């Protein structure tokens, strides 16, 4: 191998950190700062991102777009460049066109920069690779409903392979925010309301994506999901203890157990301090406490927002100083706040050591990705031959995910539907494929600006999928997802009266910044169904005919007023490209449903907050103290089936353990029905007495178990004492002696197996090296029919 002696950082025989340091030493200050920036040449979103009535935000956003759009890629990369932003994800293009554009942009960067350091290409990948013609997988909230980390890892590996094949180096996923308010529009992008569920599935996603050589990005660090009143970018009124116990463990677990390579900042402020300006978050916690060695990237425009939105900086230049000092390494999607760092360093307002700190992290990542190898070329970074971004293998994984994510709330008297039944299908989500996909799916994220390009993928609607399952299906829309047009009610009611059974598909159409009912910037005032969909349901239920309610949504809606009147209910959380067949299969009985709720289904439209992580005074145990009903209609972890299961015979390995010990909890789960199916066995812990008010139960372990009729299995959880740790009044994370209730069952409410455990010994202060997960083993009996 011939290595240029004047560029020793290209020698793969040297350790990666040494190569990065050698390159840093060869760079001018201008070149080091350039590595902290980015350029988005394909951005055409400025004219439609915000609805017209958002008058407060329009001017600052227009200023941001104008500032970023005034610089050519040639000018932006004259000293090099850190990232190329969304070459694939900005507008519809064929694979051939996308490959040519990636190569073109790389060649511009290499030509303009003295040292020829390539830029890193990043893309969105929340519901699959966000580009034209790529497979659209279920939204993240549907991942949570599967309770299946292994399946998530396979999905992410498939996404990563597609991205790597076309020259992408970093994916801006997964979202590890824990749901705190169902009204928040980005609930659909989260994995659920429990930190352990989010941590386990999010970590699986990281392992899968990075197995393909694509860096995963954990977002949004931290607290974003707890914005006041569920408003996007809203202030977060949260104490540090809640942050440490509920919000941060998801990120910590993905770093400790999956080696996540990047973290993205949150837009929100925590008790007045914007995350991007908080060195406690990005340096003290992330770097010093957790030992994170990857890169921190800003969320899009989070750096200039420190000036224009948060008003904690006088201008973009001061915002750049704040962000760099706090620990943001790369500014995305364009260099705005960091554009003035050269002047700020020369003026003594920021240390060159902070520039070096960030640049070294970026260069190390580029070394690790192979971008600084002697034989790296733009064309060579692309997989040779034909590239299929919507392969049969992808769609098979998408189908499996969709099938495992559909939650049967109530089978009632009519589910599954007999093939001889005359069925009416109504509702705005029945014949619109867009309602199956999340806001970061390319058809909903970008293609609304290009209506002539269609959806870019083949996707079946629920109506067509149900027609493939059942022979006698008729359709009337009834109403739109939004708006107050009731002119279709009469046709829908007449059809319902003429049929034996009606399936009503209601829910969301995801979009961005007010252009949808779910998604980024599409927050809800309350939890009633959007538009006049609730009125349509009332009109259908008044016919007296059996009505099956199917909710296709990105957030849970309050269904209490329909529960006693509906003949059956199904929840499908934006199940993606293959979701229609999954829903239809559950309705027809071809598929035995096995999804579990990653968020609770509220009873009332105004009940907030609704998550299950409540201390006694926030739970049903406080009945009589307040007139507000806190009991959900369906609890976290709940999901019914067409077969039946029994969870019994709890055995603990010991009634007492030391504060540094562990115990096993074993139960027997049996399929007592007549169909094969999956059950999710869930273990919760309750701290009987603690120094602070703690949630009455916390998910501590889970396992998805597949059983044939009559078959049983032994499920054993290995629970370390560290899993009882919490943050005490002095903000220390401790394992404390005392009594704990071990509860195992099939949801946070259905916990038939209970036993008491005592933790003995001294109080232990634990840190990042504590045990973060609960291993599970499943031993299945060979029996069953």
């Amino acid at each position: 191998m011939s290595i240029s002696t004047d560029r020793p950082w290209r020698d793969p025989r040297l350790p990666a950190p040494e190569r990065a340091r050698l390159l840093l030493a060869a760079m001018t200050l201008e070149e080091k700062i350039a590595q902290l920036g980015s350029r988005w040449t394909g951005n055409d979103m400025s004219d439609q991102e915000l609805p017209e009535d958002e008058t407060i935000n329009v001017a600052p956003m227009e200023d941001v777009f104008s500032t970023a759009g005034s610089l050519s890629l040639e000018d932006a990369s004259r000293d090099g460049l850190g990232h190329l932003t969304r070459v694939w994800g900005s507008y519809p293009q064929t694979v051939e066109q996308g490959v040519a554009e990636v190569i073109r942009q790389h060649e511009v960067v290499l030509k303009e920069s003295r040292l020829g350091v390539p830029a890193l290409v990043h893309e969105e990948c929340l519901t699959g690779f966000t580009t034209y013609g790529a497979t659209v997988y279920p939204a993240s909230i549907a991942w949570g409903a599967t309770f299946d980390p292994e399946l998530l890892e396979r999905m992410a590996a498939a996404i990563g392979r597609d991205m790597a094949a076309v020259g992408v180096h970093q994916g801006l996923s997964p979202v590890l925010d824990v749901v705190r308010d169902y009204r928040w529009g980005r609930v659909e992008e989260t994995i659920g309301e429990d930190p352990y569920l989010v941590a386990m599935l999010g970590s699986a996603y990281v392992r899968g994506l990075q197995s393909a050589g694509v860096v995963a990005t954990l977002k949004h660090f931290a607290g974003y999901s707890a914005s006041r009143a569920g408003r996007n970018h809203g202030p977060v009124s949260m104490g540090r203890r809640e942050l440490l116990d509920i919000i941060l463990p998801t990120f910590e677990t993905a770093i400790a157990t999956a080696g996540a390579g990047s973290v993205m900042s949150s837009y929100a402020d925590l008790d007045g301090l914007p995350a991007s300006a908080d060195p406690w978050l990005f340096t003290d916690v992330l770097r010093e406490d957790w030992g994170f060695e990857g890169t921190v990237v800003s969320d899009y425009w989070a750096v200039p927002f420190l000036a224009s939105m948060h008003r904690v900086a006088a201008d973009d230049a001061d915002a750049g100083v704040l962000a760099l000092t706090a620990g943001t390494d790369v500014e995305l999607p364009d260099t705005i706040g960091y554009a003035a760092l050269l002047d700020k360093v020369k003026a003594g307002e920021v240390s060159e050591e902070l520039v070096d700190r960030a640049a070294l992290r970026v260069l190390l990542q580029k070394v690790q990705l192979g971008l600084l190898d002697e034989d790296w070329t733009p064309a060579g970074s692309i997989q040779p031959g034909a590239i299929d971004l919507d392969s049969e293998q992808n769609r098979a994984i998408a189908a499996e995910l969709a099938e495992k994510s559909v939650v049967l709330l109530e089978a009632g008297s009519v589910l599954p539907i007999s093939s001889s039944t005359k069925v009416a299908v109504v509702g705005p989500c029945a014949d619109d494929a867009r309602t199956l996909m999340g806001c970061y799916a390319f058809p909903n994220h970008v293609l609304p600006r290009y209506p002539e390009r269609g959806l870019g993928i083949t996707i079946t609607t629920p109506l067509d999928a149900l027609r493939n399952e059942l022979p006698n299906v008729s359709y009337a829309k009834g109403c739109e997802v939004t708006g107050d047009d009731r002119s279709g009610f009469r046709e829908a009611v007449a059809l319902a009266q003429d049929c034996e059974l009606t399936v009503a598909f209601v829910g969301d159409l995801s979009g961005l910044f007010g252009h949808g009912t779910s998604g980024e910037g599409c927050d809800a005032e309350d939890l009633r169904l959007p538009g006049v969909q609730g009125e349509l349901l009332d009109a259908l239920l008044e016919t007296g005919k059996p009505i099956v309610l199917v909710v296709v949504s990105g957030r849970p809606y309050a269904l209490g007023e329909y529960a006693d009147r509906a003949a059956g209910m199904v929840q499908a959380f934006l199940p993606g490209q293959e979701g229609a067949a999954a829903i239809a299969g559950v309705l027809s009985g071809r598929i035995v449903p096995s999804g579990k709720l990653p968020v609770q289904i509220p009873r009332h439209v105004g009940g907030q907050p609704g998550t299950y992580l409540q201390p006694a005074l926030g739970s049903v145990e406080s009945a009589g103290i307040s007139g507000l009903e806190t009991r959900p209609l369906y609890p976290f972890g709940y999901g019914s089936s067409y077969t039946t299961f029994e969870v019994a015979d709890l055995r603990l390995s010991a009634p007492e353990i030391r504060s540094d010990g562990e115990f096993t909890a074993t139960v027997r789960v049996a399929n007592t029905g007549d169909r094969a199916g999956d059950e999710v066995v869930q273990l919760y812990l309750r701290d009987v007495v603690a120094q602070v008010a703690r949630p009455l139960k916390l998910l501590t372990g889970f396992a998805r178990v597949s059983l044939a009729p009559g078959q049983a299995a032994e499920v054993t959880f290995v629970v370390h004492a560290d899993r009882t740790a919490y943050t005490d009044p002095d903000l220390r994370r401790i394992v404390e002696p005392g009594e704990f209730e071990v509860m195992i069952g099939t949801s946070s409410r259905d916990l038939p197996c209970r036993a008491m455990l005592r933790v003995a010994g001294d109080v232990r202060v634990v840190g990042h090296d504590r045990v973060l997960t609960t291993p599970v083993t499943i031993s299945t009996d060979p029996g069953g029919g």
Side-chain angles (χ1 to χ4, degrees):
M1 178 184 294
S2 176
I3 306 296
S4 174
T5 57
D6 63 338
R7 295 190 176 185
W9 55 82
R10 293 195 179 277
D11 188 347
R13 295 169 298 187
L14 296 177
E18 182 178 350
R19 294 172 65 189
R21 286 192 295 269
L22 286 168
L23 178 53
L24 183 73
M27 286 181 160
T28 64
L29 176 58
E30 291 87 345
E31 288 167 338
K32 289 185 285 190
I33 291 172
Q35 290 301 309
L36 315 186
S38 57
R39 185 70 186 98
W40 190 2
T41 63
N43 179 20
D44 68 347
M45 302 171 73
S46 59
D47 61 347
Q48 78 92 41
E49 277 299 280
L50 294 170
E52 293 180 359
D53 61 351
E54 291 283 351
T55 54
I56 293 177
N57 291 343
V58 166
M61 285 297 289
E62 288 178 347
D63 289 345
V64 167
F65 283 122
S66 176
T67 300
S70 62
L71 204 61
S72 69
L73 180 59
E74 286 79 4
D75 288 338
S77 58
R78 65 182 179 273
D79 293 308
L81 191 66
H83 280 233
L84 291 169
T85 296
R86 298 186 65 180
V87 181
W88 288 93
S90 301
Y91 50 86
Q93 55 189 329
T94 66
V95 170
E96 293 75 19
Q97 290 169 331
V99 165
E101 181 61 13
V102 167
I103 293 173
R104 184 194 75 80
Q105 291 196 27
H106 271 309
E107 288 176 343
V108 169
V109 172
L110 293 173
K111 178 182 177 182
E112 297 296 327
S113 59
R114 177 178 68 93
L115 295 174
V117 178
L120 186 154
V121 178
H122 76 256
E123 297 287 345
E124 298 284 0
C125 53
L126 193 59
T127 64
F129 182 14
T130 304
T131 192
Y132 188 69
T135 305
V136 176
Y137 296 88
S140 304
I141 193 66
W143 309 350
T146 70
F147 278 70
D148 193 335
E150 184 276 333
L151 178 55
L152 258 293
E153 187 169 341
R154 283 197 284 124
M155 178 202 72
I159 294 170
R161 286 192 295 271
D162 285 346
M163 297 173 77
V166 296
V168 178
H169 308 107
Q170 182 165 346
L172 303 186
S173 290
V175 171
L176 297 188
D177 299 307
V178 177
V179 174
R180 305 302 281 163
D181 191 324
Y182 304 142
R183 295 172 296 181
W184 191 45
R186 304 190 80 167
V187 166
E188 67 167 60
E189 300 178 46
T190 75
I191 299 172
E193 67 182 56
D194 179 85
Y196 188 63
L197 177 66
V198 174
M200 294 301 289
L201 295 184
S203 297
Y205 183 100
V206 171
R207 284 191 292 272
L209 196 74
Q210 294 191 165
S211 72
V214 176
V215 174
T217 309
L218 312 181
K219 58 187 190 182
H220 306 84
F221 197 73
Y224 186 28
S225 57
S227 59
R228 201 176 297 163
R231 187 183 188 277
N232 193 41
H233 293 210
V236 175
S237 303
M238 176 184 289
R240 187 154 288 187
R241 182 176 297 103
E242 183 179 352
L243 183 73
L244 290 167
D245 284 350
I246 303 298
I247 302 299
L248 294 185
T250 61
F251 297 90
E252 183 180 13
T253 303
I255 290 168
T257 69
S262 191
V263 170
M264 175 179 278
S265 62
S266 163
Y267 286 122
D269 74 70
L270 280 163
D271 194 25
L273 183 59
S276 294
D278 189 351
W280 176 78
L281 269 178
F282 286 103
T283 299
D284 295 358
V285 173
L286 186 63
R287 301 289 185 182
E288 295 177 7
D289 291 351
W290 297 355
F292 177 66
E293 297 181 347
T295 57
V296 171
V297 300
S298 77
D299 206 340
Y300 283 17
W301 304 292
V303 174
F305 281 179
L306 293 174
S308 63
M309 301 295 192
H310 292 292
R311 317 293 170 87
V312 297
D315 52 28
D316 292 343
D318 283 351
V321 171
L322 277 177
L324 182 68
T325 302
T328 299
D329 302 315
V330 182
E331 181 182 7
L332 302 181
D334 282 295
T335 310
I336 300 172
Y338 284 6
L341 282 179
L342 179 64
D343 293 337
K344 291 293 185 180
V345 172
K346 289 181 176 179
E349 295 180 41
V350 64
S351 168
E352 186 173 351
E353 291 179 357
L354 292 178
V355 173
D356 289 352
R357 179 183 73 174
L360 186 63
R361 293 165 182 164
V362 175
L363 295 175
L364 177 59
Q365 196 163 76
K366 290 185 176 183
V367 171
Q368 293 166 338
L369 289 166
L371 292 176
L372 297 179
D373 291 351
E374 187 72 29
D375 59 353
W376 187 91
T377 64
S381 68
I382 307 297
Q383 175 183 297
I387 299 172
D388 184 359
L389 299 179
D390 189 25
S391 65
E392 291 184 7
Q393 294 87 345
N394 286 1
R395 296 183 70 133
I397 295 172
E400 185 179 355
L401 261 165
E403 291 173 4
K404 289 185 174 181
S405 72
V406 176
V407 182
L408 176 64
L409 300 177
E410 294 288 346
S413 58
V414 296
L415 293 179
I417 301 170
S418 168
S419 60
S420 62
T421 305
K422 184 179 181 182
V423 178
V425 171
V426 302
C429 297
D431 199 32
D432 186 346
R434 298 173 301 163
T435 63
L436 298 170
M437 298 179 282
C439 73
Y440 271 81
F442 198 83
N444 285 344
H445 196 77
V446 173
L447 289 179
R449 300 193 295 282
Y450 301 89
E452 73 282 358
R453 300 299 295 269
L455 297 180
I457 53 174
T458 301
I459 180 169
T460 302
T461 67
L463 173 62
D464 289 338
L466 203 53
R467 282 173 168 161
N468 291 335
E469 301 273 351
L470 302 171
N472 194 351
V473 175
S474 302
Y475 168 68
K477 188 172 189 177
C479 67
E480 301 292 340
V481 171
T482 59
D484 58 2
D485 184 358
R486 300 168 179 81
S487 60
F489 281 22
R490 179 175 298 180
E491 180 187 8
V493 168
L495 183 63
Q497 290 172 327
D498 186 54
C499 293
E500 299 170 82
L501 172 69
T502 296
V503 180
F505 286 88
V506 297
D508 283 322
L509 175 57
S510 289
L512 296 170
F513 303 105
H515 296 279
T517 59
S518 176
E520 184 173 3
C522 298
D523 313 309
E525 292 181 356
D526 57 33
L527 299 175
R528 72 186 75 239
L529 288 165
V532 294
Q533 294 181 78
E535 294 179 37
L536 175 62
L537 284 178
D538 284 333
L540 294 170
L541 289 164
E542 286 171 5
T543 65
K545 291 294 189 77
I547 309 296
V548 172
L549 176 59
V550 179
V551 183
V552 184
S553 65
R555 68 165 59 84
Y557 285 105
L559 303 179
E561 61 181 297
Y562 314 115
D564 293 338
R565 296 184 289 163
M569 293 201 296
V570 172
Q571 173 69 57
F573 290 110
L574 302 180
Q577 187 172 349
E578 298 296 321
I583 297 170
V586 167
L587 293 173
S588 71
R590 174 176 56 83
I591 296 169
V592 176
S594 61
K596 297 287 185 175
L597 290 174
V599 287
Q600 302 195 125
I601 302 295
R603 189 178 300 272
H604 303 296
V605 298
Q608 296 292 337
T611 77
Y612 90 99
L613 293 173
Q614 300 294 330
L617 287 176
S619 74
V620 294
E621 292 193 8
S622 64
I625 293 175
S626 170
L628 296 177
E629 171 64 70
T630 60
R631 183 183 295 272
L633 184 62
Y634 296 102
F636 172 81
Y638 170 82
S640 191
S641 178
Y642 292 146
T643 189
T644 55
F645 296 92
E646 181 183 59
V647 179
D649 192 20
L650 170 60
R651 290 104 63 202
L652 301 186
S653 58
E656 180 177 298
I657 62 170
R658 303 293 296 176
S659 60
D660 60 353
E662 67 180 23
F663 70 96
T664 62
T666 301
V667 293
R668 184 175 179 82
V669 55
N671 184 342
T672 56
D674 58 6
R675 296 194 64 180
D678 288 8
E679 181 57 278
V680 177
V681 181
Q682 304 163 42
L683 182 150
Y684 296 81
L685 288 180
R686 178 172 72 91
D687 193 343
V688 176
V689 178
Q691 297 180 48
V692 300
R694 302 194 65 199
L696 290 176
K697 61 191 72 166
L698 279 163
L699 181 69
T700 308
F702 61 87
R704 177 180 272 266
V705 185
S706 300
L707 296 170
Q711 192 175 31
E714 298 243 306
V715 180
T716 299
F717 299 91
V718 181
V719 186
H720 195 277
D722 288 0
R723 303 289 289 117
T724 70
Y726 71 96
T727 302
D728 75 0
D730 296 322
L731 297 181
R732 304 176 306 164
R733 191 179 300 279
I734 63 169
V735 175
E736 181 177 48
E739 300 289 331
F740 292 85
E741 186 175 16
V742 181
M743 302 171 283
I744 300 180
T746 57
S747 79
S748 60
R749 182 185 296 169
D750 305 304
L751 298 166
C753 299
R754 298 174 181 244
M756 297 304 298
L757 173 84
R758 179 165 183 78
V759 174
D762 298 327
V763 173
R764 288 177 56 237
V765 178
V766 296
H768 181 59
D769 59 349
R770 72 190 185 280
V771 177
L772 294 166
T773 63
T774 302
V776 187
T777 58
I778 302 170
S779 177
T780 306
D781 294 345

